[in-house]
Amino acid sequence: MITKENILAIAKKTILSESEAITKLIDFLDENFYEAVQCIYETKGRLIVTGIGKSAIIAQKMVATFNSTGTPSMFLHAAEAIHGDLGMIQNDDIIICISKSGNSPEIKVLVPLLKRFGNTLIAITGNTTSFLAKGSDLVLNTTVDTEACPINLAPTNSTTAQLVMGDALAVCLMEMRDFKPEDFAVYHPGGALGKKLLLRVKDMIENSLKPTVTPDTSVKKVIFEISEKRLGVTAVVENDKIIGIITDGDIRRMLNDRDSIADLTAKDIMTKNPKMVSSETMAVDALNILEDYSITQLIVSDEGTYKGVLHLHDILKEGIV
């Protein structure tokens, strides 16, 4: 009977086995790895990554990583390559072929075809004497002693080693390109990081209403303006210049302090010199201002021109926090 202790022990053994396989890759890094990085970095073409079976899945992950970190890449399935997909390969492309054995039937058919195009071929394989290794210009060794699989058949340690070798290539290329968070955001504009680094205030107030009152507007009309525009705030504008702000909090505090509001106007209850940002301000910077001053709205103004109101909810909707 399999107990909880047995299951946890098997899981720990699997993780330990894979971590040891990865550690051994350090000893396999040599001139071939250096030259592979240089070739990929200097090419005017793209990086084509191909494989069969589980290695094809690893190849797809590598392509995703390379593309998102500044190395234009494409996935080529080894089985589909010989049925027309070889047409995607261009003269300046670098090709990475992934295979544990390096001797599968599909690889034996594919390698001569790849070499015929004259492209640089980089092998990632666990068999450095294989057909793939002998037919490649550069060989990245991902040999593992055994698989973590209890019957030593299912690709586990070997695919992990392939994946880590691909990550090592990608990270080296990132360093060589001086790849920064801003660059990463360009390729991930829909993610939280992308929005933090790319989203500006103007992107969130495109359809913003502009609640406005004058200094002499009665408090009753101020309340009406705030309620109608539903932003919880209004700007106080005089001679086209923003001189103050009134929030629904200001209204509540005033009602607590006064029995009558008949004689009050906007200038009596407004906050002078309100916090403002330009439409070009980064959304994350605007958020920091809101947090620093414990407020929920900011007036948006470009060189004195009233552009609208940015609300904390606008930022939260974008999911950058």
Side-chain angles (χ1 to χ4, degrees):
M1 180 179 178
I2 298 294
T3 65
K4 179 179 76 173
E5 288 73 21
N6 294 144
I7 291 173
L8 293 176
I10 293 168
K12 291 175 183 178
K13 182 180 178 182
T14 301
I15 294 171
L16 182 60
S17 178
E18 296 207 7
S19 66
E20 290 174 347
I22 293 170
T23 300
K24 289 181 180 179
L25 291 180
I26 294 172
D27 297 328
F28 299 149
L29 296 178
D30 56 14
E31 189 72 14
N32 280 260
F33 184 88
Y34 168 76
E35 291 186 15
V37 173
Q38 287 294 131
C39 284
I40 298 169
Y41 178 70
E42 293 172 359
T43 184
K44 294 181 174 64
R46 304 155 303 170
L47 181 61
I48 309 295
V49 189
T50 186
I52 192 77
K54 303 296 188 298
S55 295
I57 298 172
I58 298 301
Q60 288 176 295
K61 191 276 176 185
M62 283 188 193
V63 165
T65 300
F66 284 127
N67 277 328
S68 67
T69 54
T71 300
S73 305
M74 293 183 68
F75 169 68
L76 172 65
H77 196 284
E80 297 298 326
I82 59 176
H83 294 287
D85 283 1
L86 279 174
M88 74 167 62
I89 300 174
Q90 299 175 2
N91 291 336
D92 293 325
D93 292 343
I94 304 292
I95 304 168
I96 292 179
C97 185
I98 310 171
S99 173
K100 177 188 176 182
S101 71
N103 288 319
S104 64
E106 296 86 355
I107 296 300
K108 287 186 174 182
V109 172
L110 180 60
V111 169
L113 297 175
L114 295 176
K115 293 302 295 179
R116 187 180 66 189
F117 289 100
N119 300 79
T120 297
L121 177 60
I122 302 169
I124 295 182
T125 181
N127 184 353
T128 57
T129 62
S130 64
F131 185 87
L132 171 61
K134 291 179 180 178
S136 298
D137 299 291
L138 299 166
V139 179
L140 306 185
N141 188 355
T142 53
T143 299
V144 296
D145 296 331
T146 60
E147 299 288 2
C149 163
I151 57 176
N152 197 31
L153 291 177
T156 44
N157 289 359
S158 57
T159 47
T160 301
Q162 293 168 354
L163 187 62
V164 170
M165 189 64 77
D167 286 343
L169 289 170
V171 171
C172 287
L173 290 163
M174 288 177 69
E175 292 278 1
M176 293 176 74
R177 292 192 171 94
D178 193 25
F179 199 83
K180 293 181 169 57
E182 292 80 3
D183 302 311
F184 189 84
V186 169
Y187 299 112
H188 298 75
L193 175 61
K195 288 184 178 181
K196 282 183 179 180
L197 295 172
L198 297 176
L199 194 68
R200 297 182 183 274
V201 168
K202 65 182 179 182
D203 301 317
M204 294 181 289
I205 65 161
E206 185 176 355
N207 298 313
S208 173
L209 298 173
K210 295 192 289 186
T212 307
V213 296
T214 67
D216 297 325
T217 301
S218 68
V219 167
K220 181 178 180 180
K221 289 184 178 179
V222 168
I223 295 173
F224 180 78
E225 179 72 359
I226 292 175
S227 300
E228 183 182 43
K229 301 298 171 57
R230 298 186 178 184
L231 290 172
V233 66
T234 183
V236 183
V237 178
E238 184 177 38
N239 298 324
D240 296 324
K241 180 183 178 182
I242 300 168
I243 63 169
I245 187 174
I246 302 172
T247 68
D248 50 8
D250 294 327
I251 298 295
R252 288 192 299 271
R253 285 186 288 274
M254 175 205 63
L255 292 174
N256 284 332
D257 296 338
R258 296 262 187 163
D259 293 328
S260 173
I261 63 171
D263 60 336
L264 294 179
T265 60
K267 66 176 178 291
D268 298 319
I269 62 172
M270 73 179 185
T271 299
K272 297 179 181 179
N273 303 314
K275 297 293 180 293
M276 293 190 285
V277 293
S278 75
S279 62
E280 291 295 328
T281 302
M282 302 303 299
V284 68
D285 293 332
L287 174 62
N288 290 334
I289 295 172
L290 291 171
E291 291 178 337
D292 289 345
Y293 291 95
S294 299
I295 55 179
T296 57
Q297 305 102 337
L298 284 169
I299 298 295
V300 182
S301 174
D302 288 344
E303 298 180 354
T305 302
Y306 182 26
K307 292 293 185 178
V309 175
L310 176 68
H311 198 286
L312 176 61
H313 292 162
D314 298 324
I315 299 176
L316 296 178
K317 281 193 301 184
E318 295 295 337
I320 67 172
V321 292

